[in-house]
Amino acid sequence: MTTTVLTGLLEETAPAKVNLTLRVLGKRGDGYHTLESLVSFTTIGDRLTLKSGVDLGLSVSGPTAAQSGPVEDNLVLKAARLLAERVPDLALGAFDLLKRLPAGGGLGGGSSDAAAALRLLARLNKLAPDDPRIAEAALKAGADVPVCLDGKPRVMRGVGEVLSPPVALPPLFAVLVGPGFPLATKDVFAALGLAPGETRGEPTPDGAVPKDREALYAYLAENGNDLEAAAIGLAPAVGDLLERLRTLPGCRLARMSGSGSTCFALFDDARSSADAAMKLGPANTGWWVRATMLAR
């Protein structure tokens, strides 16, 4: 994640979020699910720029812009307005969003875009990154926005409001594959079928994530994505994709990210992930395929 100052513009990348694990620990009485997820970020993502001195606005372009929905509903504008409600006389501006990540794919593209908007506004208004008003606006904007604010690997808990200290991960390389269709988060959680008040386990303590690569793979194998089976029930093609990823040379683990439909495969080195992307992309023109490295 980088911030760049252009002439008259501020620019941020909005990296893809990957849920390396996703445990659903229960369902609250208000209908929200309590989660525990080891989250990391990638070297690829969307790009957001901010032009100051003009009215709040947003333009969206890029290869996946058509998937992002109406501009007025975009989380970039929602996050900006939420921060403006909390910071008197907040200087705003016109955002330009270059969409590269697929929508509805479990990569947190909209949440990462919203977090990038908050970082840009903080920079423009000389707000400290740890200003509590930024965190408040992030949580109001969406459950995944707080963990996207600094783009560091963390364990997120609750409904996204409880974040562990940054987690040190070994080098991990991945290929991300979107199968060409979205999955609605609410539909996947509904298919999980938890009743209000039902619990499924306890959170793990901070410090439980291993730093050694082999130990980390064992940890990931033991802590999966509880939404995978529900997603496959709704879209069997997700299961087919996972089986395909597991056959790739050098694949150490294949899993769905978030509520899907994007899946990922992990590798020990960049060459293996790049080879996997070259093997998958040309043969599956309807898929979104990218090789990347996960943040450490």
Side-chain angles (χ1 to χ4, degrees):
M1 184 175 61
T2 58
T3 304
T4 305
V5 181
L6 305 176
T7 304
L9 295 174
L10 294 174
E11 181 182 73
E12 281 262 348
T13 56
K17 170 190 67 66
V18 175
N19 296 87
L20 292 171
T21 68
L22 201 166
R23 298 175 60 215
V24 181
L25 301 181
K27 187 175 183 180
R28 307 190 319 191
D30 60 7
Y32 287 96
H33 291 76
T34 54
L35 310 174
E36 179 180 270
S37 179
L38 173 59
V39 172
S40 188
F41 296 85
T42 75
T43 53
I44 59 173
D46 298 334
R47 187 196 71 192
L48 187 67
T49 59
L50 173 63
K51 180 179 180 180
S52 61
V54 295
D55 291 339
L56 177 64
L58 173 66
S59 61
V60 183
S61 60
T64 61
Q67 306 171 14
S68 61
V71 169
E72 58 270 20
D73 296 335
N74 195 284
L75 288 181
V76 167
L77 293 179
K78 182 178 181 180
R81 291 175 177 134
L82 286 166
L83 188 60
E85 291 173 4
R86 289 160 173 78
V87 180
D89 302 318
L90 184 77
L92 296 168
F95 291 98
D96 184 270
L97 176 61
L98 177 65
K99 286 295 297 180
R100 300 187 180 107
L101 301 176
L107 294 177
S111 296
S112 193
D113 296 341
L118 293 173
R119 293 194 300 271
L120 287 170
L121 290 172
R123 185 178 178 90
L124 177 64
N125 289 273
K126 296 180 171 58
L127 302 177
D130 61 353
D131 189 311
R133 296 170 295 184
I134 298 174
E136 291 171 8
L139 185 58
K140 275 286 194 180
D144 281 347
V145 181
V147 78
C148 294
L149 276 176
D150 66 3
K152 295 178 180 178
R154 297 179 187 270
V155 177
M156 58 180 289
R157 300 186 178 92
V159 294
E161 81 282 13
V162 181
L163 302 178
S164 78
V167 175
L169 296 179
L172 293 174
F173 301 87
V175 61
L176 308 178
V177 182
F181 58 85
L183 277 173
T185 299
K186 63 179 181 61
D187 293 343
V188 177
F189 274 102
L192 189 62
L194 295 190
E198 183 177 350
T199 60
R200 292 162 44 108
E202 297 295 326
T204 57
D206 285 347
V209 179
K211 297 179 181 179
D212 173 78
R213 179 154 49 191
E214 293 304 318
L216 177 63
Y217 281 133
Y219 173 87
L220 296 179
E222 293 171 3
N223 296 272
N225 183 340
D226 289 347
L227 295 179
E228 257 186 26
I232 291 170
L234 294 172
V238 171
D240 297 338
L241 171 56
L242 287 170
E243 289 302 314
R244 177 70 182 92
L245 293 178
R246 290 174 182 133
T247 67
L248 293 170
C251 173
R252 299 296 304 270
L253 178 136
R255 178 162 292 163
M256 186 180 77
S257 180
S259 58
S261 58
T262 301
C263 297
F264 63 90
L266 296 181
F267 301 86
D268 288 340
D269 57 80
R271 179 182 293 275
S272 296
S273 62
D275 287 347
M278 288 298 296
K279 179 175 291 188
L280 293 171
N284 301 277
T285 55
W287 289 1
W288 179 89
V289 180
R290 299 291 186 277
T292 186
M293 182 178 180
L294 300 189
R296 298 176 60 187

